[in-house]
């Protein structure tokens, strides 16, 4: 049975995305253009290399800094394709003529639309913790991308219009480097959902639920850490079960290395903290109403 909500929701999502893109475009000409000059333009949530890694921008990608942003601190605040911080050494300022040439609605928004959908999906649907959110995040990204391709008021390139993707359930190499106490031949593969594109490339919005060094937005993801079947994850799980859950956990705790267990516990603690804060806010609201 078709519900009114099912019809309104896609429209709401489309309007929300268009408003966000509209806000971006209205200020685009006021931004200084930069190009990524390092192999990986590492973007962080704060001007601090110990803060969470958002993504690795590809070599040559154009980024836009907010007006008045200074490079004197060694960091540059980026406004487009989404808010983040990059090292000033990883980018190079474009000259004025080149910036004006490439700030047309067709050029810039085509380059940034894909990254914008990744960012909006992580922000809106993944939430504060990526733990157990790989399926939802992958599905929502595909839906958001399809909405942009079908309904966007902003022209999209032929390449973007032809992209096809799907949420895919396979295996992810959560810890690529073996630890001394692992059984001989063991590899740390985990069951995982990710976005698989028609050309075989992969985007992952929740790899950091397993590996704290992984970016929040992995695009293009390292294919060596993915398998399109669950066979490798099944084998790894069977090895852990033979060792015993409690024994395996104790070995994880005794190891100083921050692996899957410690990373998952970090996200679990953040979820509990957020839930407690939400309950406190609800209690205060109820007390005010009383």
């Amino acid at each position: 049975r078709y519900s009114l909500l099912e019809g309104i929701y896609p429209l709401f999502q489309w309007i929300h995305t268009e408003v966000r893109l509209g806000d971006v475009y209205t200020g685009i000409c006021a931004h200084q253009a930069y190009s990524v000059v390092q192999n990986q333009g590492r973007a962080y949530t704060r001007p601090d290399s110990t803060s969470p890694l958002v993504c690795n921008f590809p070599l040559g990608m154009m980024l836009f800094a907010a007006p008045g942003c200074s490079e004197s601190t060694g960091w540059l605040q980026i406004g487009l394709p989404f808010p983040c911080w990059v090292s000033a050494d990883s980018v190079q300022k474009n000259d004025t003529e080149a910036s004006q040439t490439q700030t047309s609605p067709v050029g810039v928004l085509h380059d940034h639309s894909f990254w914008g959908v990744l960012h909006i999906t992580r922000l809106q649907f993944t939430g504060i913790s990526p733990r157990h959110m790989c399926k939802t995040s992958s599905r929502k990204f595909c839906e958001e991308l399809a909405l942009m391709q079908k309904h966007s008021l902003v022209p999209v390139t032929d390449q973007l219009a032809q992209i096809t993707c799907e949420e895919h359930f396979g295996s992810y190499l959560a810890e690529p480097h073996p630890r001394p106490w692992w059984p001989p031949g063991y590899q740390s593969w985990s069951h995982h959902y990710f976005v698989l594109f028609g050309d075989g490339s992969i985007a992952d919005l929740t790899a950091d639920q397993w590996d704290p060094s992984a970016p929040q937005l992995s695009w293009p993801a390292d294919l060596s850490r993915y398998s399109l079947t669950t066979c490798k994850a099944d084998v790894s799980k069977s090895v852990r079960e033979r060792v015993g859950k409690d024994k395996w956990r104790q070995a994880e705790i005794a190891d100083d290395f921050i692996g899957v267990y410690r990373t998952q516990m970090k996200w679990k603690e953040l979820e509990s903290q957020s839930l407690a804060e939400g309950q406190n806010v609800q209690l205060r609201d109820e007390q005010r109403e009383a």
Side-chain angles (χ1 to χ4, degrees):
R1 183 179 178 179
Y2 186 83
S3 69
L4 180 62
L5 182 60
E6 289 173 341
I8 291 176
Y9 180 73
L11 177 62
F12 170 78
Q13 289 301 116
W14 167 68
I15 292 173
H16 176 82
T17 302
E18 291 300 327
V19 168
R20 293 286 293 273
L21 288 175
D23 289 343
V24 164
Y25 177 64
T26 54
I28 200 169
C29 293
H31 291 62
Q32 172 63 52
Y34 290 79
S35 293
V36 176
V37 294
Q38 292 185 356
N39 188 33
Q40 289 186 335
R42 298 172 71 84
Y44 298 90
T45 56
R46 299 187 300 275
D48 179 359
S49 59
T50 64
S51 66
L53 177 64
V54 180
C55 67
N56 292 310
F57 287 122
L59 179 66
M61 182 168 177
M62 187 181 294
L63 308 175
F64 289 86
C69 183
S70 172
E71 302 175 40
S72 59
T73 61
W75 290 90
L76 192 67
Q77 186 174 13
I78 300 300
L80 295 172
F82 50 76
C84 59
W85 292 82
V86 299
S87 168
D89 295 335
S90 67
V91 295
Q92 175 179 293
K93 184 182 293 186
N94 292 359
D95 59 62
T96 304
E97 183 177 350
S99 298
Q100 291 176 347
T101 301
Q102 299 180 57
T103 51
S104 65
V106 175
V108 171
L109 291 183
H110 286 180
D111 294 341
H112 293 92
S113 293
F114 187 88
W115 285 96
V117 176
L118 282 170
H119 173 68
I120 289 173
T121 303
R122 171 83 185 209
L123 193 68
Q124 202 166 312
F125 299 107
T126 307
I128 62 168
S129 169
R131 192 176 74 102
H132 301 326
M133 293 301 294
C134 56
K135 182 177 182 178
T136 297
S137 300
S138 299
R139 184 179 73 252
K140 288 299 182 181
F141 170 81
C142 295
E143 292 175 357
E144 292 290 300
L145 184 61
L147 284 171
M148 171 175 285
Q149 292 170 324
K150 187 175 182 179
H151 299 295
S152 181
L153 297 178
V154 180
V156 296
T157 59
D158 291 339
Q159 184 179 7
L160 183 60
Q162 294 171 9
I163 287 178
T164 60
C165 65
E166 64 177 12
E167 59 174 290
H168 190 88
F169 188 48
S171 303
Y172 176 69
L173 187 58
E175 293 183 41
H177 305 295
R179 295 203 246 170
W181 54 268
W182 282 358
Y186 173 79
Q187 291 183 311
S188 183
W189 291 87
S190 296
H191 294 93
H192 188 55
Y193 278 92
F194 45 86
V195 179
L196 179 64
F197 295 93
D199 63 357
S201 60
I202 289 172
D204 195 339
L205 292 87
T206 59
D208 56 325
Q209 71 169 301
W210 309 108
D211 182 356
S213 67
Q216 295 176 351
L217 308 174
S218 293
W219 166 254
D222 180 0
L223 296 181
S224 68
R225 298 186 68 171
Y226 294 84
S227 174
L228 299 186
T229 73
T230 62
C231 295
K232 292 184 177 181
D234 292 339
V235 170
S236 296
K237 183 180 179 181
S238 66
V239 171
R240 295 193 297 270
E241 288 176 344
R242 285 199 300 270
V243 172
K245 183 177 180 180
D246 292 338
K247 188 175 180 180
W248 193 276
R249 182 179 299 172
Q250 290 303 316
E252 288 267 16
I253 294 173
D255 195 333
D256 293 333
F257 181 78
I258 301 176
V260 171
Y261 177 75
R262 291 178 185 271
T263 302
Q264 292 271 297
M265 288 302 100
K266 179 198 73 172
W267 291 120
K268 189 174 181 178
E269 289 172 6
L270 183 61
E271 293 164 13
S272 299
Q273 180 183 350
S274 177
L275 179 60
E277 290 174 353
Q279 291 173 339
N280 289 336
V281 170
Q282 182 180 1
L283 181 59
R284 287 198 297 270
D285 290 343
E286 291 174 351
Q287 289 173 342
R288 289 194 191 100
E289 294 174 358

